[in-house]
Structures are given as C-alpha cells and as structure tokens.
C-alpha cells in the first residue's frame, strides 16, 4: 500500500530542495475493485502476477495535466515489450484495463515514496517491432473517458432527472446515481437492486465540496420560496444517445462547479468560487533563481483574450430572462475598465434560472479572463507533488524589488522518463480584481 506519511513527505521535500531525487515510476494494473493485479516499474522488475512474469519495463512517456471540466489527465507511456507479454489482445492487456500511474523517489533510508498522477484507461495502443527493440505504447486517458462515450459508448435510453425543492444535495445524489449505474444493464444502484463494484461505471466514491452546505436562494413570486443551491431547479432530460458526462455537466451547470478526476482517480466537484479565492490556498512550491529547480520563465501577454466585463444570461422555468454581471473596475488591476476600456463578453446559458447563478459564473469567468494578461510558462526540474488548481510562487529577480508572485497552476507537462524538464503553465493571482456585480434581481437594465 502506498501511504504518504508526513515524515516521508518532508524527506521528499528535502531531497527535492537539494536536487537529489532518484526518480522511480510505477504502473499498477488494477482489478475492477481497485486492487492491484500486477505492476511494472521503470526498472526491469517482475510483476506481482505469475500470468505477467515479464522482463518488460517502462521506457519513456509524458504526462499532461490541465484544469478543465472533463478530461484533465493524459499520458503516453512506452514499455519495452521484449517478451510480448503486454501485447494488446484479450489474453493480455485489453479494452477497459484500468491503470494507475505513480511517480516518486527513494528516500534517505532507501524506502520509496510514490505520488499518484493518473488513474485511467488504455486508448488506441500501438506496437513497434524491429531487430533492435520491441515496444508497445499505451495512451492513457483519465476516467472521464468512461463518461463521455469515448470508451463506454452512449446512453441507450433517455435519462430523466426530476426537479426538487427543499432537498439539499439532490444534485450530488443524482451524480452519484449516474456514476454507480451498471455498465452492463444501465440500471441504477439501489437497495432493492444493488450494483456490484465490478459492474459500476465508477466504483470509487466521488468527492463533493462542502462549500454549498446550507446555502440557499430566495426565489420570488407570489410567495417567496427558499431553495438549496444543490436543489435541481428544473426537470433535466437527456435523450438516448447522450452520454453520462453530458448529464453530469448539465447538473454541474446548476452550481457552476469545477468537475473532473483528480490524481487518485476520484471524481471531484469543487466550487468555482474556490477558484476565485486562490489567495487562501497553500503554496506547493517556492521557485527562486537561487535553487536549481527553476530553469526559465516565459511571460505571455494575452491581451486579445482579456475581458473585464462579463454578462451571463439565463432563463427561469417560466421563460423569463435572468442575468448577472461582473465588471473589473479595480484601479489596482492592469485590466480594469478605466485602463483598457470596456471589453464585454456575453454568455448565454439557460441552465441558470437564478440571478445568483449568473453572478457566480460571471465572477468566475471575469477572474479567469482578467488575469490572462499575466500568464507564465515555467521550465524546471521534475517534481511529483504538484496539481492543477493549486498555487506556486515565483521570485522575480528580473523585476524591480524582486517581487514574489503567486500563480495558479493551469496545466503542466511532466516526463515519465528519468531525464527531461517539466513545464508549468500558470496565471498570476496577485492581479485578482475587486469585482463589482449587478443582476436582474436588483432591477434595472444591464
């Protein structure tokens, strides 16, 4: 079992600081219940299962991670397949094989620490044989591919999710129901008709934010009604031929969340509001020119993609228009309206039926679009504990007074082999604007 204790983690950070990491990589081929069937490493080691006693080992590859709703993690891994034990056929590695990729280092006492990077499925493998080598390449894609139809196909029948009022976490339960559907019958997991672990679309329990706990909207009308933010405000119907991911994204639209699979293979729903509150997130690494990890920084000015005024328009269940608007009028921001003029982006999404939903999404988009002006690309030595949507700092000795700038990781690329630098793409969070917001709930025009 891979347990990262605080002692091991501190040793890893010390070795990283001293630039003394000895890279180790492991591929764990998983059973349907998540247990390990057998494993391969970047050394010539034998597997755990006699069926796969093999001299094959991990030769090369790249992991790519990006913050988005949907597929976040992809990797391409090449194995030295000297004895053909990992050829892609039904007797060896086959459709639906789930694999965990981990990277780490040996510690001072020669014990090992591994950080999970991806749990996913094989997609479109290829084999190469010549007189000098025999390799097989596995493109791995995270578990979202079992939701979006890439590997699991589309829904055979329509899916109807009824509206709820005053039922907190109804939205979360609807997502759980979709993730625990049977792969074979399409039936839902219930007390009367339980779906076994091996049958479920995803057997790992999803992780939902506590941010929305107790949060409500007050809906006007002849009588004011209080509804939970995690209520389902209108009937959601997806016809046959749709996908599980489409159903989940429709549900996620209601709370304006961030959804995807994390490095451990768990489905997560986090609030976009936490994206706005980046200043409070822990810093995963401090880059300075004094340590040997920072190789280069490339600043990118993306003025064509900058907006400082976001209008999000929705529609109530009766067909009335609702809207929310977020504007950057912060005099300290380089992209405020007073500095570059009003650059408006209009977004229509009829999934939003409350003004508060429109404001939440407008604020999220405004933060993203405002800070695009200050984006950086960092080339550095490899490290294995970084994750998307988390914070790093960079000491900019190339600027006056050597400021320490906080940046949010949007994406990164990490070699799977022992050599090669990693690349991190991030946006500044020192420039988060102080927003002014208005909505249709306040009356008046946009």
């Amino acid at each position: 079992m891979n347990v990262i204790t605080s002692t091991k983690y501190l040793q890893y950070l010390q070795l990283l600081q001293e630039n003394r990491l000895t890279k180790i990589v492991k591929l764990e081929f998983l059973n349907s219940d998540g247990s390990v069937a057998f494993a391969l490493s970047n050394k010539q080691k034998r597997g755990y299962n006699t069926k796969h006693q093999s001299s094959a080992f991990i030769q090369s590859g790249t992991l790519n991670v990006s913050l988005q709703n949907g597929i976040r993690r992809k990797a391409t891994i090449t194995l030295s397949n000297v004895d053909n034990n990992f050829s892609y056929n039904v007797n060896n590695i086959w459709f639906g094989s789930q694999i965990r990729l981990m990277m780490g280092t040996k510690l001072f006492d020669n014990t090992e620490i591994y950080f999970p990077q991806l749990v996913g499925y094989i997609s479109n493998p290829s084999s190469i044989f010549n007189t000098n080598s025999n390799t097989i390449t596995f493109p791995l894609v995270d578990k979202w591919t079992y939701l979006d139809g890439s590997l699991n196909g589309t829904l055979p029948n329509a899916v109807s999710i009824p509206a709820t009022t005053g039922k907190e976490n109804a939205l979360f339960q609807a997502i759980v129901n979709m993730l625990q559907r049977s792969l074979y019958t399409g039936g839902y997991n219930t007390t009367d008709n339980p779906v076994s672990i091996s049958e479920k679309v995803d057997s790992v329990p999803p992780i939902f934010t506590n941010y929305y706990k107790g949060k409500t909207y007050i809906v006007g009308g002849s009588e004011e009604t209080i509804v939970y933010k995690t209520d389902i405000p209108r009937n959601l119907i997806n016809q046959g031929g749709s996908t599980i991911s489409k159903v989940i994204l429709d549900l996620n639209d209601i709370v304006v969340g961030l959804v995807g699979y994390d490095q451990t293979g768990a489905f997560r729903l986090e609030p976009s509001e936490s994206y706005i509150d980046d200043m409070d997130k822990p810093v995963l690494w401090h880059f300075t020119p004094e340590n040997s990890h920072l190789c280069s920084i490339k600043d990118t000015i993306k003025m064509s993609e900058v907006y400082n005024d976001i209008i999000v328009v929705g529609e109530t269940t009766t067909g009335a228009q609702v809207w929310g608007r977020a504007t950057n009028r912060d005099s300290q921001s380089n992209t405020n309206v007073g500095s570059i003029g009003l650059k408006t982006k209009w977004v229509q999404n009829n999934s939003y039926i409350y003004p508060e939903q429109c404001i939440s999404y407008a604020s999220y988009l405004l933060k993203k679009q405002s800070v695009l002006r200050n984006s950086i690309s960092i080339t550095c030595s490899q490290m294995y504990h970084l994750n998307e949507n988390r914070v790093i700092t960079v000491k900019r000795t190339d600027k006056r007074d050597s400021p320490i700038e906080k940046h949010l990781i949007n994406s990164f690329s990490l070699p799977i082999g022992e050599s090669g630098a990693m690349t991190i793409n991030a946006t500044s969070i020192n420039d988060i604007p102080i927003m002014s917001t208005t909505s249709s709930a306040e009356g008046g025009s946009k």
Side-chain angles (χ1 to χ4, degrees):
M1 176 177 281
N2 179 54
V3 178
I4 301 177
T5 64
S6 58
T7 301
K8 285 186 176 182
Y9 187 71
L10 290 173
Q11 286 188 42
Y12 159 78
L13 291 179
Q14 183 178 343
L15 287 167
L16 180 58
Q17 185 67 45
E18 297 173 359
N19 201 25
R20 294 171 53 197
L21 296 182
T22 302
K23 185 169 186 178
I24 50 178
V25 185
K26 184 188 291 186
L27 279 181
E28 293 184 334
F29 293 76
L30 306 180
N31 295 311
S32 57
D33 62 358
S35 62
V36 178
F38 59 96
L40 289 174
S41 77
N42 57 333
K43 304 297 181 185
Q44 289 188 340
K45 296 181 179 179
R46 293 187 176 275
Y48 297 156
N49 189 312
T50 54
K51 176 183 175 182
H52 293 285
Q53 293 295 319
S54 171
S55 56
F57 62 97
I58 301 167
Q59 184 169 296
S60 62
T62 304
L63 169 72
N64 292 292
V65 178
S66 60
L67 175 62
Q68 59 186 11
N69 282 347
I71 294 173
R72 293 187 177 183
R73 291 172 157 75
K74 297 180 180 180
T76 302
I77 300 172
T78 298
L79 302 182
S80 171
N81 190 32
V82 292
D83 48 16
N84 293 315
N85 224 358
F86 290 88
S87 298
Y88 195 70
N89 59 64
V90 74
N91 295 315
N92 294 317
I93 306 305
W94 189 235
F95 178 87
S97 295
Q98 196 174 108
I99 297 175
R100 180 189 292 125
L101 170 65
M102 299 196 294
M103 302 185 200
T105 187
K106 292 184 177 181
L107 301 175
F108 296 111
D109 60 359
N110 216 35
T111 60
E112 299 176 342
I113 181 173
Y114 282 101
F115 294 88
Q117 304 294 335
L118 176 155
V119 177
Y121 293 95
I122 295 171
S123 172
N124 302 325
S126 60
S127 302
I128 298 176
F129 173 79
N130 58 45
T131 55
N132 298 318
S133 66
N134 183 13
T135 64
I136 185 165
T137 297
F138 293 120
L140 296 182
V141 187
D142 74 21
K143 291 164 63 176
W144 192 268
T145 52
Y146 246 54
L147 308 183
D148 67 7
S150 299
L151 293 181
N152 198 31
T154 57
L155 294 169
N157 303 305
V159 172
S160 178
I161 300 176
T164 63
T165 301
K167 189 177 180 182
E168 188 170 20
N169 295 333
L171 184 150
F172 295 159
Q173 185 57 53
I175 292 177
V176 170
N177 291 342
M178 295 304 298
L179 294 175
Q180 294 189 347
R181 285 166 58 96
S182 170
L183 283 167
Y184 307 113
T185 67
Y188 293 104
N189 184 39
T190 65
T191 303
D192 295 332
N193 295 289
V195 176
S196 67
I197 289 178
S198 61
E199 284 185 76
K200 291 178 181 178
V201 172
D202 187 357
S203 61
V204 177
I207 300 172
F208 297 114
T209 176
N210 290 321
Y211 176 85
Y212 302 107
K213 186 175 179 60
K215 288 185 169 60
T216 58
Y217 296 126
I218 298 177
V219 183
S222 56
E223 294 184 4
E224 287 190 341
T225 304
I226 296 177
V227 298
Y228 288 104
K229 286 192 172 184
T230 49
D231 265 321
I232 301 171
R234 57 160 51 121
N235 295 334
L236 296 178
I237 300 175
N238 278 267
Q239 301 299 330
S242 185
T243 61
I244 294 173
S245 66
K246 175 64 166 57
V247 177
I248 289 176
L249 289 173
D250 286 349
L251 289 164
N252 179 65
D253 276 345
I254 296 168
V255 290
V256 198
L258 300 173
V259 290
Y261 280 91
D262 68 13
Q263 70 278 16
T264 69
F267 176 93
R268 283 185 177 269
L269 189 154
E270 297 178 323
S272 61
E273 287 85 349
S274 73
Y275 191 94
I276 296 169
D277 297 330
D278 293 324
M279 296 297 289
D280 299 328
K281 292 179 180 177
V283 176
L284 295 186
W285 191 255
H286 301 276
F287 286 100
T288 71
E290 287 80 21
N291 65 43
S292 60
H293 303 289
L294 182 60
C295 302
S296 66
I297 300 174
K298 178 183 177 182
D299 288 282
T300 304
I301 307 299
K302 299 182 178 180
M303 288 305 298
S304 63
E305 300 178 31
V306 168
Y307 293 90
N308 54 23
D309 180 46
I310 308 291
I311 300 172
V312 175
V313 179
E315 183 181 285
T316 69
T317 54
T318 61
Q321 187 185 84
V322 294
W323 56 269
R325 184 174 191 171
T327 308
N328 177 7
R329 301 188 185 276
D330 185 356
S331 60
Q332 300 301 310
S333 171
N334 292 328
T335 57
N336 73 80
V337 172
S339 296
I340 66 171
L342 190 68
K343 291 190 66 177
T344 301
K345 184 173 186 176
W346 179 289
V347 179
Q348 180 83 35
N349 191 326
N350 290 340
S351 295
Y352 303 145
I353 68 172
Y354 305 129
E356 292 90 343
Q357 290 173 301
C358 297
I359 288 178
S360 292
Y361 192 48
S363 299
Y364 165 67
L365 287 181
L366 179 65
K367 186 266 175 143
K368 287 188 68 176
Q369 302 293 154
S370 292
V371 300
L372 276 175
R373 182 180 183 276
N374 293 325
S375 298
I376 64 171
S377 177
I378 299 172
T379 302
C380 60
S381 58
Q382 295 184 28
M383 49 188 69
Y384 318 122
H385 68 294
L386 301 183
N387 286 303
E388 75 281 12
N389 203 23
R390 296 297 181 262
V391 174
I392 55 175
T393 64
V394 182
K395 184 178 181 181
R396 299 300 299 265
T397 54
D398 57 324
K399 297 183 179 181
R400 184 176 179 180
D401 298 326
S402 298
I404 294 177
E405 299 178 347
K406 277 191 173 183
H407 286 76
L408 186 80
I409 298 174
N410 291 322
S411 63
F412 62 87
S413 177
L414 179 58
I416 293 173
E418 295 181 27
S419 61
M422 73 179 297
T423 301
I424 303 168
N425 296 301
T427 49
S428 169
I429 62 174
N430 293 337
D431 301 321
I432 296 175
I434 299 173
M435 305 176 192
S436 61
T437 61
T438 56
S439 74
S440 54
E442 301 166 34
S445 61
K446 301 180 188 70

